[in-house]
Amino acid sequence: SLPTTPLLEEPVDRDEFSAHMVDMLGLDEITRGLNTSNLSVRVIFDGQEWGHKVQRLLLTDPLVGTFSAILMLPNQPGLRPAIQAIHGHGTEAADWFDGWGAADFVDAGYVVMATDHRMLYANEAESEVGRYLLLNGLTLQGVHIYEILLAQKYLRSLPAVDPWRIGIIGHSAGGAKVNALVRGFDAYGAAMSDVTTYVGWEGETQQYHEAFIPEIWPWQDLMNDVSTLDLPFERHEYGYPLGTSHSIDFFDEALGE
């Protein structure tokens, strides 16, 4: 059964809720060594795709193993702001470049990095992995968030990226990860999502969704109240029907010069 009241007494300040959020995601211990982790990055493709300079990467960390990412850079040199793009269920990093407008961000002067996240199938396989992690003090959403932070660590190391001007955008389950990430970590200059966080069963099958984290259940209203965030955050309708130009305008203003 799910708890119906928060496990901390309300009200809590932002720092206290942030620390509790990290703990509820199962990230308290593994993120302590984030800055000193032995992250290995291998470029497996370096060339032109989607009419832009693209690198395909394999990122390997001792705690979570290997995951992939796509990096797209403007053709002109210079120090640039960056956007991390997070996909949802049944999709992949390449979808951001195939039809979700990531190239428009690059044309506007941004470096864009989209990460691929494992076990996002909304099926029994995801449910089994989610159950296993929950029973061992971790969460699947937390593992994905750790991968996102590792990718940001690599982004910050690139000569083309201004490390103080990095934003993040998520679609569907990727948006749910963005919602949770910005509550637990002061890591981004601006954020955008197209969902409110939901935590529960998948339909009548009672399979675990990657965002099913029992301890977070009673905190949903606070998580979805963007007025309590201390960074520029914009929530869109699902699928971003306003298009990339609106999103670019938001990040231009939020990240500044």
Side-chain angles (χ1 to χ4, degrees):
S1 63
L2 294 172
T4 56
T5 57
L7 303 181
L8 289 178
E9 293 183 5
E10 295 187 273
V12 294
D13 62 29
R14 288 174 179 170
D15 289 341
E16 186 179 6
F17 182 57
S18 175
H20 190 53
M21 189 71 196
V22 172
D23 185 58
M24 291 188 293
L25 288 166
L27 291 176
D28 184 42
E29 291 190 18
I30 67 173
T31 54
R32 291 177 188 176
L34 181 67
N35 292 331
T36 57
S37 68
N38 186 24
L39 177 66
S40 170
V41 180
R42 183 158 66 98
V43 179
I44 59 174
F45 173 84
D46 188 354
Q48 290 285 317
E49 285 189 273
W50 301 288
H52 293 79
K53 178 176 173 57
V54 167
Q55 291 183 342
R56 290 179 178 263
L57 311 171
L58 293 178
L59 297 89
T60 302
D61 173 80
L63 294 178
V64 296
T66 300
F67 60 101
S68 60
I70 300 174
L71 182 71
M72 183 179 281
L73 302 104
N75 291 319
Q76 300 80 15
L79 192 65
R80 305 287 182 174
I83 298 294
Q84 283 183 256
I86 315 302
H87 70 85
H89 282 101
T91 56
E92 59 185 2
D95 289 322
W96 282 101
F97 305 97
D98 282 334
W100 295 356
D104 295 337
F105 277 92
V106 178
D107 290 337
Y110 288 84
V111 173
V112 175
M113 187 177 193
T115 39
D116 274 309
H117 298 286
R118 297 160 288 180
M119 302 309 300
L120 273 178
Y121 309 127
N123 62 4
E124 184 62 29
E126 177 180 338
S127 182
E128 287 300 314
V129 171
R131 288 171 188 263
Y132 177 84
L133 291 171
L134 282 168
L135 289 171
N136 286 274
L138 300 168
T139 67
L140 183 54
Q141 187 178 82
V143 170
H144 292 160
I145 287 173
Y146 181 67
E147 293 171 345
I148 293 167
L149 293 171
L150 287 170
Q152 191 206 52
K153 176 181 176 178
Y154 177 68
L155 262 183
R156 288 179 177 272
S157 74
L158 297 177
V161 172
D162 183 341
W164 303 107
R165 298 169 64 204
I166 299 178
I168 187 167
I169 184 171
H171 166 59
S172 194
K177 279 186 263 291
V178 169
N179 296 344
L181 193 159
V182 298
R183 287 293 181 185
F185 300 91
D186 183 17
Y188 291 91
M192 184 175 286
S193 170
D194 66 350
V195 298
T196 55
T197 292
Y198 57 97
V199 188
W201 303 104
E202 275 292 301
E204 297 179 357
T205 62
Q206 294 195 341
Q207 292 178 351
Y208 283 96
H209 186 283
E210 57 97 28
F212 177 77
I213 304 170
E215 282 191 311
I216 294 179
W217 177 273
W219 295 96
Q220 288 184 93
D221 289 344
L222 178 57
M223 285 185 64
N224 290 319
D225 181 4
V226 298
S227 69
T228 63
L229 286 167
D230 56 359
L231 84 163
F233 186 100
E234 189 163 296
R235 180 169 289 128
H236 282 237
E237 289 184 44
Y238 190 83
Y240 295 100
L242 295 179
T244 52
S245 61
H246 182 89
S247 301
I248 290 168
D249 288 344
F250 165 76
F251 282 111
D252 282 348
E253 181 177 354
L255 297 177
E257 291 292 339

